[in-house]
Amino acid sequence: MHRRHLIAGLALAGLVAPSARATVPGEGLFSHLIGEWDVTGQTRGRATATGAVVSRLFGGPFIELLIKDPTGRSPYEARVFFGMDVKGGLVVHWLDATGGESSKTLGFGRLEADAAVFSFAYPDGTFRDRLSYDAGADTWRLRIETGDEASPVVFSDWRFTRRAR
């Protein structure tokens, strides 16, 4: 039996000790991201308007950011999973409508006081992402850059505004 299956079975049986549970990514910072969002900005120089829903998975060790246009006008959809490694580093899985090839690359980074900073080292170039929180306005900004760090190219710059209930 594979080790992963054994651990899953033990966890289901309630036999895994609490110390074996995964670290929750940025409880303080990511707790402000949980909820439903309207997302506006630009991607590759074009206007972007979509939506996002953020929730905890598996009791907390992952945060899922689901990006999907609630109106159905945009075909783009992504599921972004944020987790922590044993040393406190951020691990990010970005799965989207572009397919499996781009999902082979994991993102790695760190949490700062008001931001999650991470990058994806794709074979054709690195994407550097900064997801920052403005506590005063209760908004988020996701800025993604590519190219040389000295003269970056903005891939996307999105603002997340909490959706009215």
Side-chain angles (χ1 to χ4, degrees):
M1 182 182 293
H2 294 290
R3 182 173 181 219
R4 176 177 252 167
H5 293 123
L6 176 62
I7 290 173
L10 291 173
L12 286 172
L15 300 176
V16 175
S19 62
R21 294 182 190 227
T23 304
V24 175
E27 287 227 333
L29 179 64
F30 276 108
S31 66
H32 302 290
L33 187 57
I34 305 299
E36 296 182 13
W37 302 89
D38 291 318
V39 181
T40 57
Q42 61 87 18
T43 304
R44 295 183 178 177
R46 296 176 153 227
T48 299
T50 191
V53 177
V54 182
S55 57
R56 293 189 185 280
L57 293 179
F58 313 121
F62 279 98
I63 301 295
E64 178 189 20
L65 165 61
L66 168 60
I67 302 166
K68 184 174 183 177
D69 185 351
T71 68
R73 287 187 300 254
S74 171
Y76 183 76
E77 183 175 342
R79 291 181 185 262
V80 185
F81 300 93
F82 298 92
M84 303 297 290
D85 66 20
V86 295
K87 294 182 179 179
L90 191 60
V91 179
V92 185
H93 300 250
W94 192 297
L95 310 173
D96 68 14
T98 62
E101 188 63 28
S102 63
S103 69
K104 293 184 339 185
T105 302
L106 292 177
F108 297 98
R110 67 190 182 284
L111 293 175
E112 296 179 350
D114 66 346
V117 180
F118 48 99
S119 63
F120 295 85
Y122 294 109
D124 59 346
T126 299
F127 275 57
R128 294 176 304 282
D129 301 20
R130 180 177 184 84
L131 178 62
S132 54
Y133 180 59
D134 179 338
D138 189 30
T139 59
W140 288 82
R141 179 182 186 191
L142 175 60
R143 183 175 174 94
I144 302 175
E145 298 176 344
T146 63
D148 184 20
E149 286 188 59
S151 55
V153 174
V154 176
F155 180 82
S156 64
D157 194 355
W158 295 349
R159 299 268 180 198
F160 290 63
T161 305
R162 198 171 293 279
R163 195 171 292 154
R165 293 183 184 211

